Amino acid sequence: LDVRASGRTTGMVLTGDVTATNVTIKTGVGVLALGDRDITATSGNILLQGRGVTQGAGSTVSTTGTVTVYGSDYASQGTRGDVVMAGNIVADSTNASTAVTIADTNAITIGSITTGSVGSRGGLRLGTHDHNGSTYRRAYGVIDPTAGTQLTIGALDIRQLSGSGSIDLSLLTNEIQSVGYVERGGAISVFDTA
C-alpha cells in the first residue's frame, strides 16, 4: 500500500485498520492521525509521515521489517509537527540502527516500542544525522515517554537539535541494551532495567 497525499488540506485520519506487504502513508498540510487503528506490514517496511503523527493507546503498528515515522509535512518537506505515540510499535527487524526511526519532528512522545526478539534486538533512532549524505532529520523538541509504556530495544541513538529541550527516557520498565551516539538539546535521563 502506497498513499502519498501531498495535495490534502487537513492532513489524514485513518478510519480503518491497514494490512499490506509494505505500508507507506504520507500526508501534507496536517497531522497523520492513526487513532486506535492498527497498521501491519506482513513482509516489508512501514513509513508514516505527516505534519505530526499521532497514535492512540489502542493502536499497534507492526512489521516484519522496519518502522519509520517522520513528523514533517509531506507537501512542504520542512514544516514539522509533533509525533505523539501512545500505542505500540513492533518491528521484527534486528538492524542495529534502523529497526525503528522517529525523526524530522518537533517534540517526540514515545509509546511502547519493541524491536527484534530476545537476544537479538534492533535499534531505535530518535532523530537522524546522515552526515555523508547531508540529510539532517533531527528531533527539534522535547523527547519523553507516554506514561505506562516501555522500550524493549537494542541500541538507542538520539540526534536532537542543540537547545531544543530535555530527553526523558527514564520509565522503570525500559530494556535498552546499549546507548550509541547521543546529541542532546538539554538534560537527559535514561533508565534500563538490566
Side-chain angles (χ1 to χ4, degrees), residues 153-175:
I153 62 171
L156 172 65
D157 187 277
I158 302 172
R159 308 301 174 119
Q160 184 188 41
L161 184 68
S162 177
S164 58
S166 62
I167 299 168
D168 179 5
L169 299 176
S170 61
L171 290 175
L172 300 181
T173 52
N174 287 341
E175 296 178 22

Side-chain angles (χ1 to χ4, degrees), residues 7 17 21 31 35 40 42 49 53 58 60 69 71-72 91 93 116 125 134 137 152-154 158 161 167 169 176 184:
D17 295 340
T21 52
V31 171
T40 306
T42 57
Q49 182 174 5
V53 179
T60 298
V69 180
S72 56
S93 173
R125 293 193 305 173
S134 298
R137 292 181 178 260
T152 308
I153 62 171
I158 302 172
L161 184 68
I167 299 168
L169 299 176
I176 301 169
R184 60 188 179 90

Side-chain angles (χ1 to χ4, degrees), residues 55-158:
Q55 179 194 37
S59 167
T60 298
V61 174
S62 62
T63 177
T64 58
T66 64
V67 175
T68 302
V69 180
Y70 292 136
S72 56
D73 193 300
Y74 173 56
S76 69
Q77 296 293 328
T79 307
R80 298 176 193 89
D82 296 335
V83 171
V84 180
M85 311 299 269
N88 297 288
I89 295 177
V90 180
D92 290 347
S93 173
T94 57
N95 186 297
S97 61
T98 62
V100 175
T101 300
I102 302 173
D104 208 18
T105 178
N106 289 332
I108 301 174
T109 302
I110 303 170
S112 290
I113 298 176
T114 302
T115 60
S117 58
V118 174
S120 185
R121 296 284 180 204
L124 170 62
R125 293 193 305 173
L126 302 175
T128 68
H129 176 131
D130 300 323
H131 179 70
N132 292 333
S134 298
T135 301
Y136 298 92
R137 292 181 178 260
R138 299 183 190 278
Y140 294 87
V142 171
I143 300 172
D144 61 9
T146 297
T149 60
Q150 75 177 63
L151 300 178
T152 308
I153 62 171
L156 172 65
D157 187 277
I158 302 172

